[in-house]
Amino acid sequence: MQYGANAFHGFGYFVDELYYLACAARPAAGYVDHPPLSILLLTITTGLLGDSLVAIRFIPAAAGAGAVFVTGMIARRLGGGPSAVLLSGLAVMGAPVLLVLFGFYSMNSLEVLIWNAIVWIVIVLLQEEKPKLWIAVGILGGLGVENKHTFGVFIGALLIGLALSGQLYRLRSPYPWIGGLAALLLLIPNLVWQQTHGWASIEFYRNATLLKNLQAPPWKVLFDQILAANPGSLALWCGGLFFFLRRPETRKLRAFGWLFLLLLAGLIATQSSRPDRIAAAYPALFAGGACFFERIGRRWIMPAALSVVLLTGIVFLPAGLPILPPAALARYAAAIGVIPQIERGQAAALPQWFANRFDWDVMYESVKGAYDALPDDERKEAVVLGAFYGHAGALERFGRGSIPVISGHNSYHTWGYGNASGQIVIAVGFRKEDLLTEFEEVKQVGSYSRRYSVDANVPIYLCRRLKSPLPEAWKRLRFFV
């Protein structure tokens, strides 16, 4: 694939997109590592438009445009004029973390849009004393949690922020409770799924915290936030904090300043290495900061702020969008320090959100070659076992049903092992010593490498004859993280 096409299409499928496509092919009320809303939308999208990169990335792109629009609406509600609307919108478009989230299919782009729609509604509610709007907040909140379980953290932080700002009395009205009931009704299908699947998501979140996510010291958490939101926007979102917490005209809106501080304190307390966790909180701060700068009244401030945000946004644009050829991007990322290691394991040559978009089709071709090389009688009962959902999702997407694929990772485990006998298995992504504990014979029959990632000469194994009954071995393959 040529780099020009890569730049337009984002270098290829991101690993999570391959998994989400597999989920979309199996509509359900829940999945191990996420609720169903984003997958339902993806199922509809693929049914109408197919599963090309352009098709599946339409929704995150639309969510990004919607987030810019809603940010402008927030600025207007806060009393901002055209320059404040423009500055806040540019800040959203110049934040690398938001560009990344709007650049591939996941639930994160929807989270940003839904959350800032809630912010706008709550501002209207507080400014105009319209308690009936709590019902809309409840509906959107329910959709937010159905999109991403951790959306509940934002809701909780908002409630604490209302309490700290003396606005909790507003919950005495019946409308917040009606909104809460609406949210609960929206959550019931996923709650039922969780109950029937042993609350699998709780196990997933616990394991992810213990085994997957890296810990970062407080200074690193703050540094990554500044980098992720665009260093040129630092003064803007700090101004937004001051605007919400200290300006007399925003006394009713103090909750949004407290909300951000609570979320940031949570990242620091948990030593989270994931700067994207609170990305949805920045648009409102950008809007508040733009209004603050506008109200200071000095003629040079807004032009200066617009220039700084625009110029730094351009400088950091390649950190969020795949507009550079990969080799140049690797040099650029190293030069400006935007290769954070956010999960355990070896660091790649590119940031993880780019590195995991390369050569999944190469992996498929290597595995398919090993599968096709089997004798006819063995190929009839062979299955391919992926160590994690990226392997399995890529094999399904590029194989189009030409090879049977199973995995013990996350939702793949809940989908079972189909017609597998366990006697002939091609395994990819495993260590040989781990496979030898399960199979009597294990030999390498191939390998694959993916550019700019940590996948170099990854072995492909042919395994024969399980040592234990397949149902018992399948339980041991369960891997929720």
Side-chain angles (χ1 to χ4, degrees), residues 197-209:
H197 288 78
W199 302 96
S201 293
I202 294 178
E203 179 182 345
F204 164 78
Y205 292 121
R206 182 176 63 247
N207 290 343
T209 300

Side-chain angles (χ1 to χ4, degrees), residues 117-176:
I118 288 176
V119 170
W120 181 80
I121 292 172
V122 173
I123 290 173
V124 175
L125 185 159
L126 297 175
Q127 288 179 334
E128 300 186 9
E129 304 292 339
K130 293 184 175 180
K132 289 184 179 180
L133 289 177
W134 282 116
I135 299 176
V137 172
I139 293 172
L140 284 175
L143 291 174
V145 178
E146 277 289 88
N147 174 65
K148 190 175 180 181
H149 290 129
T150 52
F151 193 88
V153 174
F154 284 86
I155 299 296
L158 174 61
L159 294 175
I160 296 173
L162 289 170
L164 293 173
S165 58
Q167 300 292 317
L168 200 60
Y169 70 90
R170 296 177 183 275
L171 300 185
R172 296 172 186 168
S173 162
Y175 297 108

Side-chain angles (χ1 to χ4, degrees), residues 96-119:
V97 66
L98 294 175
L99 292 177
V100 170
L101 299 184
F102 298 141
F104 66 89
Y105 195 90
S106 75
M107 61 285 302
N108 296 308
S109 61
L110 297 172
E111 178 184 54
V112 177
L113 178 60
I114 294 171
W115 174 249
N116 285 284
I118 288 176
V119 170

Side-chain angles (χ1 to χ4, degrees), residues 151 178 180 192 205 208 261 276 344 380 472 478:
F151 193 88
I178 296 174
V192 171
Y205 292 121
L261 291 177
D276 59 307
R344 297 181 189 275
K380 289 178 181 179
E472 294 180 13
R478 174 185 171 115

Side-chain angles (χ1 to χ4, degrees), residues 88-99:
S88 57
L90 283 176
V92 172
M93 291 188 287
V97 66
L98 294 175
L99 292 177

Side-chain angles (χ1 to χ4, degrees), residues 1 9-14 17 51-58 397:
M1 187 180 291
H9 293 305
F11 295 155
Y13 291 95
F14 182 61
E17 289 176 313
D51 63 358
S52 69
L53 284 170
V54 173
I56 69 172
R57 290 179 180 171
F58 172 78
R397 166 60 182 78

Side-chain angles (χ1 to χ4, degrees), residues 421-423 438-440 464-470 473 476:
S421 66
Q423 299 308 302
E438 300 289 347
F439 294 91
E440 293 183 6
R464 289 188 173 94
R465 296 183 298 280
L466 266 173
K467 295 179 180 179
S468 60
L470 182 55
R476 290 192 294 272

